[in-house]
Amino acid sequence: MKKTFALFAFISSLFFIVLPSCKQMPSTIALDVSVKPKEYLSQYNFFIGDIKSLIPNEGLLPYDLISTLFTDYAHKARFVYVPEGLQVTYNDKEALNLPVGGCYIKNFYYPNDFRDESKGRKIIETRLLVHGENGWDAFTYIWNDEQTDAKFEVAGDIKKVSWIHNDGSKREVDYIVPNKNQCKGCHWENNIGIMPIGPKVKNLNREIAYADGTKNQIDKWTELGMLKGAPKSTDCAKMANYNDKAESLDLRAKAYLEVNCAHCHRSSGPAYTSGLYVDYYQENPEHRGICKSPVAAGKGTGGLLMDVVPGKPDESIMIYRMESDDAGIKMPEVGRSLVHKEGVALIREWISAMKGDCKLN
């Protein structure tokens, strides 16, 4: 009887030694594209520890872009998931099309003080762009005030956010979380459906800090076996950083228009009927709006005659719409409530520097 009790005690001690270590091991990522989206972000196991810290689980890789979409000054923390054993095929023009089961994850947040992110932040929403068996789909998760989780929402929401800006001023905005149809409006590719738009090789071709050191993202993805067919990053195209004033004004303006406007204003985008195509490699001056009359007149033109008038930003419809916060005038139509003053200043400078004259018939 004593031997039996001793054996039971020994087995029990092993159990209690092993159990805590099991609890500390992170669960594997639980993304299954064959079923409906989960109710809460935490259920995917994308992040380990305190979820608001956004520490990626094994298999989830951070990424960042050279030039980024303006979203009412929100910051973004981006991650990509490619199921083990699968790969992304290199594409030198369009956004990298993850294999079925893959996912892009973008967290929108505001630091309490833009000058010092160590003072904390508030995460507003997390958007998942998931490649399912029947194509891509967009799922939005809205964070609770306690920052303990985010819940799946289709209808969107409005969140009041305040922060201390880079210049020390207090700013606030009624941040609009887009509904599902609005997500489609930006991510739509004619004759295809929803597609990724931001993570293109030319916009990923930069170094970022990983847990194991700093490395160029194209080289890192290749090294991990996630990306196939890619040349070395030094041989890949690279977009300008529109915030870097040391770079060419023309390339900075093209980069800004690419990431903020070209998801719609391209030949295969939702605004293709406008004839205004501002994708990065577009060289046709009229397609870029230079001396181009708008297809549709009315409130959105402000009574102006040309999309872009060389040397005259105040006579250019592009500037008029960028400077407006009127829902029936502003561009982009979705994703901003505030005017991006720095972006407007860049495009004003670009137009002011243009040579030439528009001849009216």
Side-chain angles (χ1 to χ4, degrees):
M1 183 69 178
K2 289 182 179 180
K3 289 182 178 180
T4 302
F5 179 79
L7 179 61
F8 174 77
F10 175 69
I11 293 173
S12 297
S13 67
L14 287 179
F15 175 77
F16 285 111
I17 290 172
V18 173
L19 183 59
S21 62
C22 288
K23 283 186 176 180
Q24 292 171 12
M25 292 178 64
S27 301
T28 56
I29 290 174
L31 175 63
D32 184 350
V33 299
S34 66
V35 300
K36 66 181 182 180
K38 297 182 184 298
E39 186 176 6
Y40 291 98
L41 182 65
S42 60
Q43 294 172 315
Y44 292 102
N45 298 328
F46 288 134
F47 306 107
I48 58 176
D50 187 352
I51 188 171
K52 72 174 183 289
S53 298
L54 301 180
I55 300 171
N57 199 349
E58 184 177 354
L60 195 67
L61 193 70
Y63 76 93
D64 205 357
L65 304 176
I66 296 170
S67 284
T68 62
L69 174 72
F70 173 73
T71 318
D72 284 342
Y73 293 104
H75 291 207
K76 289 102 173 178
R78 301 173 177 85
F79 300 87
V80 60
Y81 171 66
V82 176
E84 186 175 0
L86 300 182
Q87 291 182 302
V88 184
T89 300
Y90 174 77
N91 186 322
D92 65 348
K93 291 288 191 296
E94 301 301 326
L96 292 177
N97 193 6
L98 305 183
V100 172
C103 179
Y104 287 113
I105 303 164
K106 186 159 61 170
N107 304 277
F108 293 72
Y109 70 93
Y110 286 84
N112 295 329
D113 188 332
F114 278 24
R115 302 165 301 176
D116 184 0
E117 290 205 26
S118 69
K119 293 183 178 179
R121 66 184 176 187
K122 182 176 183 180
I123 310 173
I124 308 301
E125 59 164 324
T126 297
R127 300 180 194 175
L128 308 184
L129 195 63
V130 178
H131 197 175
E133 295 169 341
N134 298 313
W136 287 88
D137 208 347
F139 307 136
T140 298
Y141 289 79
I142 300 178
W143 284 72
N144 59 29
D145 291 337
E146 297 75 25
Q147 301 283 275
T148 56
D149 213 336
K151 187 176 181 182
F152 176 60
E153 295 288 352
V154 175
D157 201 354
I158 299 176
K159 295 280 190 178
K160 184 170 286 294
V161 185
S162 61
W163 70 94
I164 302 299
H165 204 59
N166 296 310
D167 60 4
S169 64
K170 184 175 181 180
R171 303 279 187 95
E172 63 178 24
V173 67
D174 288 329
Y175 180 94
I176 299 174
V177 180
N179 61 45
K180 194 170 183 67
N181 285 332
Q182 289 172 317
C183 291
K184 288 180 180 179
C186 289
H187 284 272
W188 193 260
E189 182 85 11
N190 295 340
N191 302 317
I192 297 176
I194 293 177
M195 291 291 287
I197 53 179
K200 300 175 181 177
V201 165
K202 63 180 179 288
N203 207 7
L204 288 165
N205 192 3
R206 57 160 294 186
E207 290 187 345
I208 70 168
Y210 295 98
D212 58 351
T214 299
K215 192 154 192 169
N216 182 282
Q217 294 180 109
I218 306 304
D219 298 330
K220 182 71 170 181
W221 288 31
T222 300
E223 175 188 289
L224 293 175
M226 288 173 50
L227 180 63
K228 65 178 180 180
K232 291 182 179 179
S233 58
T234 51
D235 296 323
C236 293
K238 186 173 183 177
M239 181 186 289
N241 179 349
Y242 68 72
N243 288 312
D244 186 354
K245 294 184 179 181
E247 297 201 48
S248 153
L249 174 60
D250 187 59
L251 292 180
R252 288 172 60 215
K254 287 181 176 179
Y256 185 86
L257 294 173
E258 161 85 14
V259 298
N260 286 282
C261 311
H263 44 273
C264 287
H265 283 281
R266 65 187 192 281
S267 60
S268 58
Y272 77 98
T273 57
S274 70
L276 179 65
Y277 308 146
V278 293
D279 42 297
Y280 197 66
Y281 294 116
Q282 179 59 247
E283 296 298 335
N284 184 312
E286 185 175 5
H287 279 324
R288 295 199 72 81
I290 300 171
C291 297
K292 175 190 171 300
S293 298
V295 171
K299 184 179 179 180
T301 68
L304 303 174
L305 300 177
M306 303 284 183
D307 290 340
V308 174
V309 180
K312 299 177 180 179
D314 287 318
E315 295 182 20
S316 301
I317 296 171
M318 183 178 288
I319 290 294
Y320 174 70
R321 303 195 76 169
M322 287 178 66
E323 288 185 331
S324 176
D325 58 7
D326 185 305
I329 298 172
K330 68 178 183 178
M331 282 290 173
E333 295 175 315
V334 177
R336 76 165 180 90
S337 301
L338 303 175
V339 174
H340 188 196
K341 294 181 179 180
E342 297 82 359
V344 171
L346 170 61
I347 302 304
R348 273 186 164 276
E349 184 182 1
W350 176 61
I351 294 174
S352 295
M354 285 183 187
K355 305 299 182 184
D357 189 24
C358 297
K359 304 296 184 183
L360 298 177
N361 295 327

